[in-house]
Every structure is written in C-alpha cells, then in structure tokens.
Amino acid sequence: MTDQKKYLESDGLIAAHYGEEYEHYYNAITPPMFMNSLNVFETIDDYYDFDRRDKHKYCYGRVQNPTVRILEDKLAAMEHGVGALAFASGMAAAATAVLTAVKAGSHVVCIHNAYGPLKDFITGYCHEYMNVTADFIRGDEIEEFEQTVTDATDLVILESPSSVIFSLQDIEAVCRLAHAHGALVYIDNTFCTPIYQKPLDMGADIVMHTTSKYIGGHSDVIGGILAAREESLFQKLLQHRELMGGIVGPAEAWLMIRGLRTLETRVAAHQETALKVAEYLENCGKVRRVYYPGLKSHPQRALVEKQQTGSTGLLSFEIDGTPEQAVKLAEHLQIFKIGVSWGGFESLAFMPYLRLSQENAGVLGGGRNIIRLHCGLEDAQVLISDLEAAFACL
Ligand SMILES: *Cc1c(COP(=O)(O)O)cnc(C)c1O
C-alpha cells in the first residue's frame, strides 16, 4: 500500500501524488478514467452494509466514482478540510452549499461583489420558493458585518478577494462573528486557489472553487468543488449532492486532476505576469485606478498579507476616459481575447460593468469603464506591448 501521509507535506506533493494508489492500476503514473456508472457486489449484504467513506467501495456513479474520489481527496487535503465534493459546475457546488445551509425563512448576509448568478439564486429562487431574505454589504469593514449579521442569520457568503474590484473580507473576524450568531460561513476561494489561501484554517465552514478556472487551468472543462471543515456538515453536503445529482463526470474529474499537477507552477507564473502588467498600468499615465491585491498600493495591503500568501492572474483597471473609450481599447487588444471566464492559459479582457447603470456600478465599487484582464501564461512583455499598442490607438 502506498503511504499517503508522506505526500501531505506540501501542496505540490498533494497535487502530484496524494490520493493516487498506483498499485491498484498497474503502477500507471496517471490514474485511469473510471468510466463506469455501476460497481457490483459479491453479496446482497455487502451492498447494504458498505461504508460510503471507504475509498475502495463504490456502488453507483451519481453517489461516487473512483476517479472523482482522487480529485476530492487532493482538494480536501490542500484546503485542510475533512472532505471535499466535486460537482458538474461551480454553480452546482454553490447551489448545493446554499440549500444545505439555509432553511425556509433563513436570513443570509452576502457581499455585493459575490458571483452574480449566486446572488440571483439567493434573491430569486431562494427568496421566491423558500422565503429566504438577504442583506448585501460591501464587506471590506468588519463593522458592516456586525451591523448586519443577527441571530436570525444562517449563512454568510464571502468571496475574498472578490472578482472585478478585488476587495477583501477579514475572514477570521467574520467567522468569529458569524459563529457567535450560529451562522455558517461560505467562501468562494477561486481567485486565490488553495495554493494562496486556506479559508478553513481561518474558521470558514465551506470553501467553494469553480474548477472551470485555475484548477482546470486549460479552458476545457466546467466543474466545481466544495470542501468542508467539519464532519457533520460534510455528511449533509454529501447527502445533498447525491439527492440533487450534481456530481461531476469522471472525464472532467480526470482533466481537473491533470490541471492540479501544474497548479502551483501556473499560479506562480500568472502572479508574476499580473504584477508586471498591474505595475505597467499604474505607471502608464493613462489609467485612473488599478485593482490588484498583489500591488503595494492595494488599500487593504495589511489584510492581503495576513490572509493570502499570493495573488493570481486577474486584475482590473479604469482608464482615464469614458466607457466608450474603454470598449475601443479592449477591442484593439490582439493577444488579450474578449471573454468572460478566466484561470486558463490564455489572456482575456472583459468589461463586466459596461451595461450597468452608473449607480449600480457604483454599488459594486467601480465605474462602467472598468476593464478586467486575465493575464495568461504568455510572456509579460508581450502582454504589456499589446496594451501599449491599444492605448496608442485611442
Ligand atoms: C466562474 C465563477 C463561478 C461559477 O463557476 P461555474 O463553474 O461557471 O459554474 C463562481 N465564482 C466565481 C468567482 C467565478 O469566477
């Protein structure tokens, strides 16, 4: 039997080897894609008595699959959780987490800059069918949570740093406050990846990743992950995934395992490039503001250093000009493609607030002219030249 403990020493070792039992598949260095919907048993009693947490026992593909299990074991270990569960998308993971944490009439506190479809799920589905109420706050000051979280609150939803404007929440302080009121804390950790931030260690109850971004890393797979800090909550999430049926397929899980092998190296490269691009934008004289947690000028610098060990490849900026000029700039870029996702090998530009009213963009903390860039794995100088050429066309 492989001694799995020796792989727990670093995230790189977990990503490369943890959870993989080579002797079970002819010592192949990569695990097989178990493309089976069914596993069979010797006896009827064996079926009824099998332990669902035993990684060598499986019954049916909507419940668990050996390839999916390898992915989950790696992510649970990287996030320091009791377990992790893989889903067919980030939103399948998020919706299952919310429906596990709330009941009819629950109160939810959520940051304004949480992922849009998740906010729609709470204010739409959960409100309409379950009478869930929600308060939205900026979340960069703990006082806002103190004023909003009450004993009626069952769930606090964080995303730190948040996409687009990269504001942080003090995870440890929010968790202490939420737990004092009996609420669970859910956090989207997609930007930092498990490499640069471990929210369960800071008291969060559920960590979510869309593996469609950095964990997949190659823009060829959609998936999501939940990791839980505590066993009874993990068991509920496991039960609800089985009942709602959102498990990821084995082929996608296999691609995510492949993505994990290079995650640490990729995020380091994304970070190095994004910092160079952010510093160029800050100093080019044509930009009003740059939003990137890796910059020394980030307004929450001390908190960045307290809870993150790094930043990845996503950043935003506001040009010193109108939204129409920003569109022109984005459309002049050649290497940065126009696209909504991020976390892959490719560089992307997007204008998330363009079609909002000035007022609604202001609530989210930016202007309509904001451009979000994902710095891919291309050379930093190539990306900076692309931006220089686009600025010259304005
Ligand atoms: C893309 C994204 C999601 C949703 O993930 P899907 O896999 O597309 O469902 C959630 N949170 C953040 C921060 C995202 O960028």
Side-chain angles (χ1 to χ4, degrees), residues 240-284:
H240 290 167
R241 181 182 65 175
E242 180 179 334
L243 297 180
M244 297 176 203
I247 194 170
V248 73
E252 285 80 5
W254 191 92
L255 283 170
M256 291 168 206
I257 293 168
R258 187 176 67 167
L260 276 180
R261 293 199 185 98
T262 53
L263 180 66
E264 197 170 20
T265 313
R266 282 187 289 111
V267 291
H270 286 293
Q271 165 170 252
E272 199 183 322
T273 304
L275 186 58
K276 285 182 186 157
V277 169
E279 284 172 345
Y280 157 73
L281 289 167
E282 217 172 28
N283 297 314
C284 73

Side-chain angles (χ1 to χ4, degrees), residues 87-94 113-118 159 161-163 186 188-191 208-213 221-224 314 340-342 372:
F87 291 82
S89 70
M91 273 307 294
N113 288 296
Y115 187 62
L118 176 59
E159 183 179 326
S162 62
S163 164
Y186 161 105
D188 186 326
N189 198 28
T190 305
F191 173 84
M208 192 283 266
H209 290 277
T210 157
T211 51
S212 322
K213 310 291 163 57
V221 64
I222 296 283
L314 202 61
V340 73
S341 186
W342 46 280
R372 188 180 74 182

Side-chain angles (χ1 to χ4, degrees), residues 85-394:
L85 296 165
F87 291 82
S89 70
M91 273 307 294
T96 303
V98 170
L99 292 177
T100 300
V102 302
K103 49 191 182 302
S106 282
H107 176 245
V108 173
V109 172
C110 181
I111 62 159
H112 279 301
N113 288 296
Y115 187 62
L118 176 59
K119 291 200 300 181
D120 293 344
F121 179 66
I122 290 161
T123 56
Y125 182 92
C126 294
H127 180 65
E128 193 174 332
Y129 294 96
M130 300 169 72
N131 198 28
V132 167
T133 57
D135 279 308
F136 292 90
I137 58 174
R138 282 174 58 84
D140 28 13
E141 304 287 343
I142 186 69
E143 289 75 22
E144 297 168 88
F145 289 95
E146 286 166 356
Q147 286 156 14
T148 325
V149 177
T150 71
D151 288 345
T153 309
D154 287 320
L155 177 64
V156 176
I157 295 180
L158 307 180
E159 183 179 326
S160 185
S162 62
S163 164
V164 188
I165 65 155
F166 305 100
S167 59
L168 276 69
Q169 304 96 57
D170 186 332
I171 300 168
E172 211 168 67
V174 173
C175 290
R176 211 177 305 122
L177 175 77
H179 292 160
H181 288 283
L184 294 175
V185 176
Y186 161 105
I187 178 167
D188 186 326
N189 198 28
T190 305
F191 173 84
C192 278
T193 81
I195 305 288
Y196 291 145
Q197 182 165 270
K198 312 267 192 208
L200 299 181
D201 288 350
M202 295 179 239
D205 300 285
I206 304 173
V207 165
M208 192 283 266
H209 290 277
T210 157
T211 51
S212 322
K213 310 291 163 57
Y214 286 117
I215 289 172
H218 295 74
S219 299
D220 52 11
V221 64
I222 296 283
I225 281 280
L226 297 177
R229 185 169 54 85
E230 197 258 321
E231 184 65 28
S232 64
L233 178 59
F234 176 76
Q235 288 300 332
K236 277 193 204 166
L237 293 165
L238 177 66
Q239 187 194 17
H240 290 167
R241 181 182 65 175
E242 180 179 334
L243 297 180
M244 297 176 203
I247 194 170
V248 73
E252 285 80 5
W254 191 92
L255 283 170
M256 291 168 206
I257 293 168
R258 187 176 67 167
L260 276 180
R261 293 199 185 98
T262 53
L263 180 66
E264 197 170 20
T265 313
R266 282 187 289 111
V267 291
H270 286 293
Q271 165 170 252
E272 199 183 322
T273 304
L275 186 58
K276 285 182 186 157
V277 169
E279 284 172 345
Y280 157 73
L281 289 167
E282 217 172 28
N283 297 314
C284 73
K286 291 168 178 152
V287 164
R288 203 175 287 153
R289 184 156 173 206
V290 183
Y291 303 82
Y292 182 60
L295 281 174
K296 291 216 164 42
S297 59
H298 190 281
Q300 294 166 294
R301 186 70 204 160
L303 189 56
V304 173
E305 280 173 12
K306 183 178 154 217
Q307 59 192 27
Q308 295 176 213
T309 53
S311 293
T312 53
L314 202 61
L315 61 99
S316 300
F317 66 101
E318 280 176 46
I319 62 160
D320 208 358
T322 63
E324 292 68 34
Q325 286 172 306
V327 170
K328 212 169 146 195
L329 179 82
E331 290 178 351
H332 269 113
L333 293 165
Q334 299 287 312
I335 309 295
F336 287 94
K337 312 292 180 204
I338 292 176
V340 73
S341 186
W342 46 280
F345 60 93
E346 75 282 31
S347 290
L348 296 166
F350 186 59
M351 292 188 62
Y353 297 170
L354 181 66
R355 300 258 174 122
L356 297 181
S357 67
Q358 194 62 50
E359 191 193 345
N360 286 346
V363 169
L364 296 178
R368 285 180 52 233
N369 64 351
I370 207 164
I371 297 177
R372 188 180 74 182
L373 296 181
H374 178 249
C375 300
L377 297 172
E378 301 94 339
D379 190 77
Q381 197 47 53
V382 168
L383 300 183
I384 290 169
S385 300
D386 198 28
L387 284 160
E388 278 172 337
F391 274 119
C393 291
L394 283 191

